[in-house]
Amino acid sequence: MTYKVQKTEAEWRAQLSPEQYHVIREKGTERPFTGALNYNKESGTYTCAGCGAELFSSEQKYDSGSGWPSFWAPLISENIGEETDRTLFMTRTEVHCANCGAHLGHLFDDGPQPTGMRYCVNSASLNFIKGDKSK
């Protein structure tokens, strides 16, 4: 798949920490309850650690108890891509940044209303920008 943001593997390795590289480029998963943003309750915007695209808002974040930051909807739906993931002997929906292809996590249909969806995202895939952009 071709993305707007294209980087060499050397550029990705220079930009990302080893954990971020594993999650974003190798579709890894951080251990539950260890991510820096899992317990974040500040107002702001969650952006892609790979390219800076705006992905989620603190207004859609909730505590799912899963151990990873969870959102019931993306901030800008066009910035989230989906693919079928058949690893680990199950079928899931992988979510990635539509701008650079960074692996974010998975999408499940056990979230709260109004969408009933749970975007279960690795903290390593995200950066957080504090503050309310609507002001």
Side-chain angles (χ1 to χ4, degrees):
M1 187 170 240
T2 303
Y3 298 99
K4 288 185 248 179
V5 174
Q6 296 286 315
K7 297 179 185 181
T8 66
E9 289 308 306
E11 290 171 320
W12 282 115
R13 285 189 185 279
Q15 174 188 336
L16 303 170
S17 72
E19 180 183 31
Q20 286 177 313
Y21 185 87
H22 174 64
V23 171
I24 289 173
R25 300 299 299 159
E26 300 174 331
K27 298 186 179 188
T29 301
E30 63 198 9
R31 289 180 299 129
F33 302 102
T34 63
L37 297 173
N38 186 46
Y39 301 104
N40 183 30
K41 297 193 184 307
E42 295 185 272
S43 294
T45 303
Y46 294 85
T47 63
C48 176
C51 70
E54 294 182 342
L55 302 174
F56 301 99
S57 167
S58 59
E59 293 179 19
Q60 284 80 36
K61 186 174 189 272
Y62 72 100
D63 182 2
S64 68
S66 67
W68 291 277
S70 297
F71 305 86
W72 51 265
L75 178 63
I76 302 169
S77 59
E78 294 80 17
N79 288 351
I80 304 288
E82 298 179 10
E83 283 183 40
T84 301
D85 175 0
R86 290 188 175 88
T87 61
L88 303 177
F89 306 105
M90 64 181 104
T91 301
R92 302 177 291 176
T93 301
E94 180 219 349
V95 290
H96 60 267
C97 174
N99 199 43
C100 72
H103 172 73
L104 303 173
H106 290 88
L107 177 61
F108 302 96
D109 62 0
D110 60 0
Q113 293 305 317
T115 65
M117 303 308 288
R118 173 172 54 104
Y119 290 81
C120 187
V121 181
N122 292 283
S123 287
S125 299
L126 301 172
N127 287 325
F128 180 72
I129 300 171
K130 187 177 175 180
D132 183 358
K133 290 179 60 176
S134 64
K135 292 182 180 178

